[in-house]
Amino acid sequence: MASTRWNITPDEHAFIEKHQAHITRAKLTEMLNDEFDQNLSVEQVRSYTKRNQLNRVIKTMVDDGNELSWILRRQADTPRNELTAMFNKRFGKSLSISQMNGYCQRKGLYMDDLIRNRKPVGTVKRHGRFLNIKINATEWQTLHRFVWEQHHGKKVPDGFMIVFADGNPDNVDDIENLVCVRETISLTINHTNKANTDDPDLNKAIMLTESLNAMVRDYVKSQQTKSIKKDYHCE
C-alpha cells in the first residue's frame, strides 16, 4: 500500500531538526507520529532527512552539557539498564545499554559496589545452559559444582568435572545425579560411548567406567615415561 503524501509543517520540521541527530530513523518516526498524530513510515522520514541534509551524529550520542550533568547525578546508584531507559525517555534518544556503559566508562563513571553487586549471596540465575549461584560479594559459581562441593566437603579435583547422570543440567538437588569424572572423557561419553540413555544409572556407570579407564591410561603412561627415563639414565 502506498504511503499517504506527507505535507510537512514548520513545527514538524523544527521537531525533526531538534531530535534527529542522535536517534535512529525508526525512533524519530515513532516520536513524530506520537507528537503530531501522524501515521508516517520510517522510509518517509528517512527520505525527508536525507533530502534536507539532516544527518545523524553517531559519535556524540551524549552531549557534555545537560545530558552529562543528568547522568552524573544518577549513575552511581542506578543500574545501567535502568539508567539507559530513564535517559532515553528523558532526552528522546535511543542509546543501547552497551552504549551507555561505554560512555560512562570513558568518563570514568562507575556504579557504587553496593549497586553493582546488589544481588544477595545465594542468588541463583541461569547463565547459558547452567544455573549459577552467587557465592560471595563478587563471585558466581556453577550451581551443580557448588552443590557437589558442599555435599562432599571438598573442591572438585583438578582435571575433573561434574556431569549429570540424567542429562538434565537443572537437576542439581539429587546428589546422585551429579557425577565427578575426568575431564578427558568428555568426548568419549558424548560421542564414542554415549552416556545419554533413558536410564540415569546406566549413564552413571558408563561415565564412571570411562573415567576409571582414563585414570588407568594415565597411570600406565606415567609408568612408561619413568621406565624410558631410567633406561636413558647414565650412571
Side-chain angles (χ1 to χ4, degrees):
M1 180 184 296
S3 301
T4 304
R5 182 175 178 81
W6 177 27
N7 295 314
I8 189 167
T9 67
D11 287 343
E12 289 171 341
H13 179 84
F15 184 90
I16 291 172
E17 281 192 320
K18 178 180 178 181
H19 297 285
Q20 67 85 29
H22 302 291
I23 61 176
T24 64
R25 293 306 176 240
K27 182 65 176 179
L28 180 60
T29 303
E30 179 186 338
M31 293 169 60
L32 272 167
N33 288 336
D34 289 344
E35 182 72 17
F36 298 99
D37 195 25
Q38 289 276 23
N39 190 28
L40 302 169
S41 68
V42 176
E43 190 55 42
Q44 282 178 300
V45 174
R46 182 181 290 113
S47 297
Y48 181 82
T49 55
K50 187 174 182 179
R51 289 195 306 271
N52 289 271
Q53 298 183 339
L54 299 172
N55 301 317
R56 290 183 63 199
V57 181
I58 305 298
K59 294 183 179 180
T60 56
M61 299 296 287
V62 179
D63 71 54
D64 288 341
N66 292 336
E67 293 174 1
L68 175 57
S69 297
W70 185 94
I71 290 173
L72 285 171
R73 292 195 299 271
R74 294 166 176 82
Q75 68 85 29
D77 58 0
T78 308
R80 291 295 180 254
N81 60 331
E82 296 176 17
L83 182 68
T84 303
M86 292 164 58
F87 179 86
N88 287 338
K89 183 176 181 180
R90 171 66 177 81
F91 294 101
K93 296 192 173 183
S94 57
L95 270 71
S96 67
I97 297 172
S98 61
Q99 287 173 322
M100 176 62 76
N101 193 48
Y103 178 81
C104 289
Q105 288 181 354
R106 290 193 297 274
K107 293 293 183 180
L109 305 177
Y110 299 98
M111 289 183 290
D112 289 343
D113 287 340
L114 290 177
I115 298 300
R116 185 184 296 107
N117 302 306
R118 64 180 181 175
K119 291 187 181 299
V121 172
T123 297
V124 175
K125 68 176 183 179
R126 185 172 300 281
H127 183 73
R129 181 171 176 242
F130 301 113
L131 296 171
N132 283 2
I133 184 170
K134 189 171 186 180
I135 58 175
N136 58 44
T138 59
E139 291 183 291
W140 294 75
Q141 185 181 21
T142 52
L143 183 57
H144 58 281
R145 190 182 185 97
F146 175 82
V147 170
W148 189 94
E149 291 181 346
Q150 290 296 305
H151 178 82
H152 292 281
K154 62 180 180 180
K155 294 288 186 181
V156 174
D158 290 341
F160 284 74
M161 63 181 181
I162 306 300
V163 293
F164 308 93
D166 66 357
N168 179 8
D170 291 348
N171 184 8
V172 298
D173 296 326
D174 181 6
I175 193 63
E176 295 300 320
N177 191 48
L178 306 180
V179 189
C180 185
V181 298
R182 276 291 181 97
E183 291 178 344
T184 54
I185 73 163
S186 178
L187 183 64
T188 303
I189 63 176
N190 283 293
H191 298 281
T192 308
N193 189 13
K194 294 184 179 181
N196 62 353
T197 72
D198 294 331
D199 185 350
D201 290 333
L202 176 58
N203 294 338
K204 187 173 182 178
I206 294 172
M207 294 170 180
L208 293 175
T209 299
E210 292 298 339
S211 188
L212 180 59
N213 289 340
M215 294 173 68
V216 171
R217 288 193 298 270
D218 288 347
Y219 175 78
V220 171
K221 185 177 180 179
S222 67
Q223 294 302 306
Q224 290 174 340
T225 302
K226 289 181 180 179
S227 176
I228 292 172
K229 288 182 178 178
K230 184 178 181 180
D231 291 341
Y232 280 89
H233 180 66
C234 295
E235 295 295 340

